[in-house]
Amino acid sequence: MKDNNKGFQLIINNHPNVFLYKGNINVMHGFSFLDPIIDSTGQIINKTMLFIIKTLGIYKLYNKSNFMYNSIYTENLAKNLFPVLGIKPSKARVIYIPVENHNIDLSIKQKNRVISIGRIHPDKHYEYVFEIARHLKNYDFTIAGAVNKGMEAYYKSLLSVKPNNVNIIPNIDNDTKIELYRKSSIYLHLNPKENYGISVLEAMSYGLIPVVPESGGPWIDIVSRG
């Protein structure tokens, strides 16, 4: 929002770890300040990098700032890790990203159809999908998502090792994605550090049963710890 006489009145910094700017509202999609050096529970796994970050003090500009978290999982990480960075928020609250409700025809669902939708990226741990598929040979698995620039080699590596009962759809269009949601019964999401997991919520809105790790936003915020 901008007042022509006074400049910007409201600034939302959607990536406060990338854009070091103190907005009126700073949006946390996960604990992006320290994501590369923490595990799924927020424990520090790279103390050397943490020491460097603390010494530089680059994030202290966010002290007494307003924050918006995308999940309770992210909020909990912030409560544990903000003090390490010298940050005490002025105000903070969780605001969930909503999804649309859908009319569901359960008669067209295929009992043994499992899907996993998300970016074709190592963070999604699709190798675990393969491991599960090898044990459940009478189930059909589909992985679908965008192959972004730089991920072509990873996509090809998945194709070379996937079991026969796994299908991979690159750069899926919206109509095909909706058709998968409507006909499938189980949604498999295996990223242990997922900060919210809107695809899990979207799948549930189409009547799929979610299967998620015992960590991250899908476990804490969406399936309420099972």
Side-chain angles (χ1 to χ4, degrees):
M1 297 175 63
K2 186 174 183 180
D3 185 307
N4 291 329
N5 296 319
K6 298 180 181 179
F8 289 98
Q9 294 179 322
L10 175 62
I11 298 174
I12 299 176
N13 188 349
N14 200 38
H15 291 282
N17 64 313
V18 177
F19 303 106
L20 297 178
Y21 188 90
K22 190 173 182 177
N24 300 78
I25 300 174
N26 303 282
V27 182
M28 293 287 288
H29 301 282
F31 204 81
S32 46
F33 294 163
L34 299 178
D35 255 355
I37 64 172
I38 60 175
D39 64 15
S40 60
T41 64
Q43 298 300 309
I44 303 296
I45 57 177
N46 189 330
K47 293 183 179 180
T48 301
M49 184 59 68
L50 175 65
F51 175 78
I52 293 172
I53 292 172
K54 288 176 65 177
T55 302
L56 292 174
I58 57 176
Y59 294 121
K60 286 187 178 180
L61 66 91
Y62 293 114
N63 188 38
K64 298 182 180 179
S65 294
N66 299 318
F67 283 90
M68 186 176 78
Y69 309 123
N70 66 341
S71 65
I72 293 173
Y73 169 72
T74 298
E75 180 185 41
N76 289 340
L77 289 180
K79 287 178 177 178
N80 290 332
L81 296 171
F82 269 166
V84 175
L85 300 176
I87 298 172
K88 184 177 181 180
S90 175
K91 293 181 181 179
R93 64 177 298 181
V94 174
I95 298 181
Y96 289 122
I97 302 170
V99 299
E100 184 181 354
N101 288 324
H102 303 282
N103 293 321
I104 305 166
D105 181 3
L106 295 179
S107 67
I108 67 172
K109 286 196 171 293
Q110 300 169 14
K111 182 180 178 181
N112 289 7
R113 188 81 175 270
V114 183
I115 62 172
S116 183
I117 295 178
R119 291 175 296 114
I120 306 298
H121 191 281
D123 286 350
K124 301 301 182 181
H125 294 282
Y126 292 123
E127 67 274 12
Y128 297 151
V129 176
F130 292 174
E131 185 175 342
I132 293 169
R134 291 187 182 99
H135 284 85
L136 300 175
K137 298 183 184 300
N138 59 329
Y139 281 73
D140 292 322
F141 293 77
T142 297
I143 295 170
V147 180
N148 294 326
K149 187 176 181 181
M151 288 294 109
E152 297 87 354
Y154 175 66
Y155 165 62
K156 290 179 180 178
S157 72
L158 291 178
L159 289 178
S160 67
V161 297
K162 73 176 186 67
N164 292 332
N165 59 334
V166 176
N167 182 35
I168 302 178
I169 306 175
N171 303 315
I172 188 172
D173 62 82
N174 194 57
D175 289 341
T176 305
K177 182 180 75 170
I178 290 174
E179 189 70 8
L180 282 175
Y181 278 141
R182 291 190 182 281
K183 291 184 177 180
S184 302
S185 295
I186 300 170
Y187 189 77
L188 191 57
H189 192 89
L190 298 178
N191 179 4
K193 292 177 68 175
E194 190 68 67
N195 301 303
Y196 178 49
I198 193 169
S199 65
V200 179
L201 194 62
E202 189 174 45
M204 291 170 66
S205 76
Y206 281 98
L208 280 80
I209 299 170
V211 178
V212 302
E214 228 176 283
S215 65
W219 175 251
I220 293 173
D221 291 85
I222 297 177
V223 305
S224 300
R225 293 180 168 86

